[in-house]
Amino acid sequence: MAQYGKTEYWDERYTRDPEPFDWYQRWAGLKDTLLEYIQQNHSILMLGAGNSRLSEEMYEEGFHNITNIDISMVVTKAMQEKYRDKPGMTYVQMDARNLEMGEGTFNVVLDKATLDSILCGEGSTNNAQKVLSEISRVLVPNGAYIAISHGQPSYRLTYLQRPEFGWNVKIYTVQKPMMGMSSSLSADDKDNVHYIYVCVKGEPAKPDDKK
C-alpha cells in the first residue's frame, strides 16, 4: 500500500512524475459549492497542494491571495518556479501538523484529499487530530475549513465534529468525474460521489459567556 503519510513517498513520487495531477476534482467541479464560502479578497490556505491545478484555476478567476503548503520540498520547489510570475500565489514547504502561521491568519483553509491521505498513514488518528487543531487555530472566527474527500460522513464526522473545534459542519456531494465508460454507475450509488465538508468556525467563547 502506498505510504501516503510519509514525506519520502511524496518526494519520490513528484521526482518520478512531475506532471500536474489532481485528486478527485478540478475547480470546475467544485466552484458552485465553494463560491458560497470563498470570496476573492479572502486569504486562502491550500493544504497539501502538491502539483494540483486547483490554485492556478482559482487564481485565474480572481483569487490572488493563496498560500500553498506541502510536506514535499521537491514539489514545493517545482511549484515556486512554475508560478513565480503570479503575485500572491506562494508555495511553502510545511507540515500541516505544525503550521508556521499565527492564529486567525486565514479566512479559508482548502483541503483536497490531504485529510484522506493522513488517515491512510501510520498514527492516522493522532496526526489527523493535530492537523485539524492547527487548521482551527489559523482560521479566523467564522472562517471555513473545506475538505474534499472520498470518505463518507460516518467515517469523517468523528474527526470534524469534535467539540473543541466548535465547527458547524455542512455536507455537500459532487459527482465523480466520469472516467472512460464508467457512466453505467447509477447516480444514487454512494461511491459515485465525492464529499465536500464545509466546517465553519464559531466565534471564540468569551470567559464570561457562562454567567
Side-chain angles (χ1 to χ4, degrees):
M1 181 174 158
Q3 296 292 303
Y4 290 143
K6 292 189 181 298
T7 310
E8 297 79 12
Y9 167 81
W10 295 107
D11 278 344
E12 192 274 331
R13 174 176 170 146
Y14 289 125
T15 301
R16 185 181 71 240
D17 186 8
E19 290 302 307
F21 181 83
D22 272 276
W23 292 87
Y24 305 163
Q25 298 279 338
R26 300 278 294 271
W27 172 240
L30 301 169
K31 62 189 290 185
D32 286 353
T33 301
L34 268 50
L35 287 174
E36 289 186 44
Y37 299 95
I38 308 179
Q39 298 169 16
Q40 289 183 346
N41 63 342
H42 276 168
S43 179
I44 299 165
L45 176 64
M46 190 72 70
L47 217 61
N51 55 16
S52 160
R53 290 158 290 195
L54 182 60
S55 292
E56 176 186 342
E57 290 165 349
M58 292 180 67
Y59 194 94
E60 287 169 359
E61 295 210 2
F63 298 91
H64 292 169
N65 188 357
I66 306 177
T67 301
N68 299 270
I69 68 165
D70 199 279
I71 201 167
S72 167
M73 182 58 86
V74 171
V75 80
T76 300
K77 283 183 172 175
M79 295 300 101
Q80 286 170 344
E81 178 65 21
K82 181 176 181 180
Y83 295 118
R84 66 185 190 278
D85 61 342
K86 288 186 164 32
M89 176 107 108
T90 57
Y91 280 81
V92 187
Q93 190 273 332
M94 199 177 294
D95 188 331
R97 294 170 297 185
N98 184 24
L99 297 175
E100 298 158 30
M101 295 102 170
E103 290 184 22
T105 304
F106 297 100
N107 302 100
V108 174
V109 176
L110 262 179
D111 163 5
K112 187 154 67 81
T114 299
L115 181 61
D116 287 1
S117 290
I118 290 163
L119 289 173
C120 290
E122 293 172 18
S124 57
T125 301
N126 188 37
N127 285 329
Q129 179 69 9
K130 284 181 183 174
V131 170
L132 295 172
S133 296
E134 282 290 86
I135 291 168
S136 184
R137 182 179 65 79
V138 301
L139 275 174
V140 299
N142 297 319
Y145 166 52
I146 303 174
I148 296 97
S149 170
H150 70 73
Q152 295 178 14
S154 55
Y155 296 109
R156 291 295 178 265
L157 291 180
T158 318
Y159 298 97
L160 300 176
Q161 289 186 324
R162 294 181 70 99
E164 61 263 40
F165 302 142
W167 287 344
N168 176 24
V169 183
K170 286 189 178 178
I171 306 168
Y172 300 84
T173 57
V174 59
Q175 290 291 116
K176 287 183 178 176
M178 289 302 177
M179 300 295 182
M181 299 305 292
S182 61
S183 53
S184 58
L185 283 168
S186 64
D188 60 359
D189 177 0
K190 275 193 170 54
D191 292 326
N192 199 27
V193 297
H194 291 126
Y195 296 89
I196 303 174
Y197 297 95
V198 179
C199 311
V200 177
K201 181 177 174 179
E203 294 282 351
K206 297 183 178 67
D208 58 354
D209 275 359
K210 292 179 180 169
K211 279 184 182 174

